[in-house]
Amino acid sequence: ALNIDETDTEALTSVLVDHYHPLLLTLVNSPIPVIAAVEGAAAGIGCDIALACDIRLASENAVFCELFGQVGLLPDGGGTFNLPRIVGMGRALEMALTCQKVRAEQALEWGMVNHVYPADSFKQHVQTYVERLAYKAPLAVARTKQAIRQAAGNVCFEDAIKQESELQKDLFTSRDFKEGVTAFLQKRSPNFRGA
């Protein structure tokens, strides 16, 4: 039998709190959209890191699994927060309690991933997706991410629309907003600069 003493417990907790928590918070709080490109298995903390990202793109070979239950633990990388918000309570409980493997197509059906691409062209599809997103107005993208993440928390609708209006107010004065309207009226692509 494995004997874990208090020192081992402190070390394991330290890895979680001192290393994984800062990474997860950086993913969630970054003003830049974070995209997970999952080609193989995203299991345990890997699954939770993918779930913390804003957008998940999967190869047809991708598999997602909350493995913590196999060793008598619970998902500890934000999985208990993100998973039910993404796939619903029942599916989240089933994944976490049974350590169910969810393959790419099922993950797409559940809303766990945004897109599934063929394995042989996965990297090209990810690159195309990233490039398309890169041409969007940076300030609007950052504020949209912030508003959606905050609204997905425990706020009421009234608080969500109030937060949206506060963030929108900043965007109304941006150069990118003026450029976006001008480009729309001139029927050309906008040249956003993040200002």
Side-chain angles (χ1 to χ4, degrees), residues 38 43 52 55 88 106 126 135 150-151 155 158 166 169 179 188 195:
V38 181
I55 296 168
Q106 187 175 24
V126 170
Y135 287 104
Q150 287 176 346
V155 298
E158 184 178 351
E166 290 298 316
K169 186 169 33 173
E179 168 63 11
R188 63 173 172 81

Side-chain angles (χ1 to χ4, degrees), residues 2 23 39-40 55-56 58 66-67 101 120 122 144-145 166 184 188:
L2 182 64
L23 167 67
E39 284 192 84
I55 296 168
R56 286 160 299 284
E66 291 287 4
L67 291 176
K101 291 180 181 173
D120 61 351
F122 180 65
T144 300
K145 175 179 173 174
E166 290 298 316
F184 176 77
R188 63 173 172 81

